[in-house]
Amino acid sequence: MFVLVIGDMHIPHRVASIPDKFKGLLKPEKIESVICTGNLCSKEQFDYLKSLSSDVHIVKGDFDEGNYPDTKVARIHNWKFGICHGHQIVPWGDKEAMAMMQRQLDVDVLITGHTHKFAVDVHEGSLFVNPGSATGAYSGMQSDVVPSFLLLDVQEGKLTIYVYELIPSESDPEQFELKVQELKHSK
């Protein structure tokens, strides 16, 4: 079973939907939990995430109107995941600022969004993860956003991160190729 890490969808304000290639990969029988970094922007997206798993952890993004917390700690197996949209971390994506948030939440892994760019960083022994934007919605920092999400395989002392990105095809800019990469982290 996997943990889906997803965020910055901005549906319907910036894009119409999650790419079909991604929807085809997201099967309820394979997803144990969902972690969302916010900016769902509609109840329909919340309902979609709930259709994938009954165990859904969501934080409030800067464009969300729902009653979500600003930060949350999710315990999945023996790992503690801190979740924060990321607009509260200044400067955005700064490792020192993220390390401070990670210490405040007292978590093994800090998951943030807001930048719309996939990132996995290890800083002073702490793991920081950003799933990027599941829809490729433009951000204030860039307009050519690569759609991405993560699946985590959470084991006793090991975390395997599968990164899914839709990369524009070099031969046909209207087509996208699915790129998957595997990253490992241990406690």
Side-chain angles (χ1 to χ4, degrees):
M1 296 295 275
F2 294 98
V3 176
L4 170 63
V5 182
I6 194 166
D8 288 307
M9 293 179 265
H10 291 279
I11 299 170
H13 303 111
R14 295 184 186 176
V15 292
S17 67
I18 294 173
D20 289 337
K21 284 188 179 184
F22 282 176
K23 283 184 182 176
L25 296 169
L26 301 176
K27 304 289 182 199
E29 62 274 5
K30 303 229 184 241
I31 297 173
E32 174 182 359
S33 300
V34 174
I35 293 175
C36 179
T37 61
N39 280 347
L40 288 82
C41 298
S42 70
K43 183 181 180 321
E44 290 78 17
Q45 294 316 301
F46 172 80
D47 293 341
Y48 173 69
L49 295 180
K50 285 295 276 186
S51 77
L52 298 174
S53 171
S54 61
D55 186 36
V56 177
H57 306 276
I58 299 175
V59 293
K60 188 173 190 159
D62 51 339
F63 286 91
D64 283 323
E65 294 180 12
N67 191 20
Y68 308 118
D70 288 331
T71 61
K72 184 171 186 175
V73 175
R75 292 178 186 268
I76 301 172
H77 301 291
N78 67 329
W79 290 78
K80 289 194 306 184
F81 295 93
I83 312 159
C84 172
H85 176 63
H87 67 280
Q88 311 93 322
I89 297 173
V90 179
W92 299 332
D94 179 75
K95 290 182 181 111
E96 292 298 325
M98 289 192 299
M100 188 168 27
M101 175 70 72
Q102 183 266 338
R103 287 189 299 272
Q104 288 172 348
L105 296 175
D106 188 28
V107 293
D108 302 308
V109 180
L110 180 66
I111 299 174
T112 64
H114 190 62
T115 64
H116 295 214
K117 184 174 173 148
F118 154 71
V120 173
D121 292 302
V122 177
H123 177 71
E124 297 177 355
S126 296
L127 181 63
F128 305 134
V129 178
N130 185 328
S133 169
T135 60
Y138 71 87
S139 76
M141 296 178 282
Q142 64 185 56
S143 59
D144 57 341
V145 177
V146 173
S148 60
F149 72 89
L150 310 174
L151 288 177
L152 306 180
D153 183 6
V154 182
Q155 301 297 323
E156 187 67 29
K158 182 176 85 171
L159 184 65
T160 304
I161 304 167
Y162 297 95
V163 183
Y164 293 80
E165 297 177 289
L166 284 182
I167 307 293
S169 170
E170 290 182 23
S171 60
D172 182 356
E174 296 299 313
Q175 296 295 314
F176 289 86
E177 298 171 1
L178 181 64
K179 176 184 167 189
V180 180
Q181 60 180 308
E182 177 181 15
L183 307 164
K184 296 184 183 279
H185 183 74
S186 299
K187 276 190 178 184

